[in-house]
Amino acid sequence: MSPSCATVSHTPRPELLKTVGQRFIAPVKIRHHRSRCELNRRGFAFKGIVAAGASVMPSPLVTEAPQEVDRLPFRPEGYNFWTWRGHKIHYVEQGQGFPIVLIHGFGASAFHWRYNIPALAKKYKVYAIDLLGFGWSEKALIEYDALVWRDQVVDFLKEIVKEPAVLVGNSLGGFTALVSAVGFPEQVAGVALLNSAGQFGDPNARTNQSEETLLQKFFLKPLKEIFQRVVLGFLFWQAKQPARIESVLKTVYINTSNVDSYLVESITLPAGDPNAGEVYYRLMTRFMLNQTKYTLDSVLSKLSCPLLLLWGDLDPWVGPAKAIRIKEFYPNTSLVNLQAGHCPHDEVPELVNKALLDWLSTLTSASSLQMT
């Protein structure tokens, strides 16, 4: 075992994994789940990990990892830092070989890949990056947009990775991986999505291009901003409380044994950074509530590399129908269905790691053949 990894034990958890598409993994035992909490689906603003307004019955935190799965040690000071456009960016780097870049979801960080980094690093060079505004990266006061994170990932590939890589993303990180692959196709050999964010475009939607009136500009708009700041300020204060973070996580993990103190602390620490509240406000008002600008179909239509979908079918926010639609739209897709929630990489890491390694072996073999 690598000295940078820790192995802990936990009661075995039988799983069900079903494959649709090109190939993959034999089924294992079925796990029976408790009933899952239903969440309001309105808007992605409450679909991030640092969300407010969802609650479940309280239960004690569990600190064990899955059986025989190495875990990335938690470092409150972070791992490695890179300066991008004058901003401090945090990332983890482990292993040797063909590079893989892991991109976290909304409100999370590189530490959310705690059970994947050590396993993947046994065969590949693994990077896990904190997007600007999240995790141990700087809470920059900028106008956040999908293209900001795309540019960050593209420059990370150019300046740190420096060779073709596979991008793997969960939730918001999944959509970031897609737009990055489209923005820098020569350096992206494949993309894997785990319950990705992003919406398909509505051909019947009408855009309102009406001119802003003086009343709207000088009275209604400022009043709306004041109201949003008050409400979102309270929601951010509430959302960064450890008990609230735990309860929200437990609505999106079907098996909650991995909702532990490590995971909660990896979310609460960055929430205490200077400017974290202002970044939260900007994300909520200027990005999360205006996601129709970039649609899945517009991005997938420009994608040119193999795509893997690792989908938690029991996700209360992003169900399996979305994965099926992605596969129908983009045929060069392999789909692996998992009995898990919104974060399968952390809930069933054993299965995600195996599926990723199997798929990566086909990509790297194909790359080797092309080079000979």
Side-chain angles (χ1 to χ4, degrees):
M1 181 180 69
S2 168
S4 61
C5 305
T7 303
V8 288
S9 297
H10 183 57
T11 304
R13 298 180 299 146
E15 314 287 351
L16 172 67
L17 180 146
K18 178 177 63 178
T19 302
V20 179
Q22 297 172 355
R23 56 184 302 275
F24 286 128
I25 301 167
V28 292
K29 296 180 181 179
I30 297 176
R31 182 183 70 210
H32 299 284
H33 303 283
R34 69 189 71 177
S35 61
R36 56 196 170 106
C37 300
E38 293 298 325
L39 233 96
N40 193 321
R41 292 175 178 259
R42 290 186 305 157
F44 194 82
F46 296 93
K47 296 184 181 180
I49 290 178
V50 190
S55 63
V56 295
M57 294 297 293
S59 61
L61 286 177
V62 180
T63 57
E64 294 87 1
Q67 184 185 30
E68 301 303 324
V69 177
D70 293 340
R71 181 169 68 180
L72 180 76
F74 182 70
R75 293 184 184 174
E77 71 278 12
Y79 276 78
N80 306 290
F81 291 90
W82 162 59
T83 300
W84 177 69
R85 298 183 179 178
H87 304 300
K88 186 175 71 171
I89 302 298
H90 173 252
Y91 68 97
V92 178
E93 177 182 345
Q94 283 194 5
Q96 296 295 328
F98 191 89
I100 305 166
V101 179
L102 309 175
I103 310 171
H104 62 81
F106 184 85
S109 70
F111 288 110
H112 205 197
W113 302 99
R114 53 187 172 162
Y115 297 126
N116 315 107
I117 294 170
L120 298 174
K122 292 174 182 178
K123 290 189 176 182
Y124 299 96
K125 188 164 189 176
V126 181
Y127 300 89
I129 188 172
D130 283 356
L131 297 176
L132 187 67
F134 294 109
W136 274 247
S137 288
E138 186 176 331
K139 309 303 178 290
L141 299 183
I142 63 169
E143 298 305 312
Y144 285 91
D145 184 275
L147 299 188
V148 170
W149 296 311
R150 178 203 66 182
D151 293 347
Q152 177 191 344
V153 172
V154 166
D155 287 345
F156 186 79
L157 292 173
K158 292 178 180 177
E159 299 179 23
I160 303 296
V161 181
K162 298 180 181 179
E163 59 181 311
V166 169
L167 303 181
V168 181
N170 169 236
S171 193
L172 174 64
F175 192 75
T176 301
L178 278 178
V179 295
S180 300
V182 169
F184 198 22
E186 61 271 27
Q187 286 294 103
V188 178
V191 174
L193 305 179
L194 298 92
N195 294 65
S196 178
Q199 304 170 0
F200 279 91
D202 181 1
N204 299 317
R206 296 181 179 180
T207 56
N208 187 0
Q209 300 291 341
S210 59
E211 187 176 346
E212 190 176 46
T213 66
L214 291 175
L215 177 65
Q216 291 172 325
K217 183 175 181 179
F218 294 107
F219 180 72
L220 295 180
K221 193 173 181 179
L223 189 63
K224 178 183 177 182
E225 183 173 343
I226 292 171
F227 176 76
Q228 286 176 330
R229 282 194 175 276
V230 171
V231 172
L232 290 173
F234 171 75
L235 289 178
F236 177 71
W237 174 84
Q238 186 184 50
K240 68 180 183 178
Q241 304 305 313
R244 176 61 64 183
I245 290 172
E246 179 191 353
S247 72
V248 172
L249 286 166
K250 287 183 175 181
T251 67
V252 295
Y253 280 59
I254 304 308
N255 184 307
T256 60
S257 60
N258 284 350
V259 179
D260 54 19
S261 56
Y262 178 122
L263 182 58
V264 172
E265 189 175 5
S266 74
I267 297 171
T268 55
L269 280 181
D273 288 352
N275 299 330
E278 177 63 21
V279 169
Y280 181 85
Y281 170 78
R282 295 185 182 206
L283 288 168
M284 292 298 98
T285 58
R286 300 165 197 179
F287 174 70
M288 290 302 179
L289 300 181
N290 295 285
Q291 294 186 84
T292 57
K293 187 175 180 181
Y294 308 103
T295 61
L296 278 173
D297 40 315
S298 66
V299 177
L300 288 169
S301 64
K302 300 173 185 174
L303 192 66
S304 57
C305 62
L307 179 64
L308 171 66
L309 304 179
L310 296 170
W311 218 265
D313 282 353
L314 304 181
D315 186 347
W317 295 338
V318 186
K322 184 175 184 179
I324 294 171
R325 189 172 179 186
I326 292 173
K327 180 172 172 56
E328 290 173 348
F329 188 93
Y330 191 72
N332 190 14
T333 298
S334 299
L335 172 59
V336 178
N337 298 95
L338 300 160
Q339 294 291 291
H342 189 63
C343 309
H345 58 294
D346 195 57
E347 186 178 343
V348 288
E350 312 97 316
L351 299 181
V352 168
N353 292 340
K354 178 170 173 49
L356 265 175
L357 288 168
D358 285 352
W359 181 72
L360 287 166
S361 67
T362 65
L363 290 186
T364 53
S365 296
S367 298
S368 299
L369 288 174
Q370 290 175 1
M371 294 175 65
T372 58

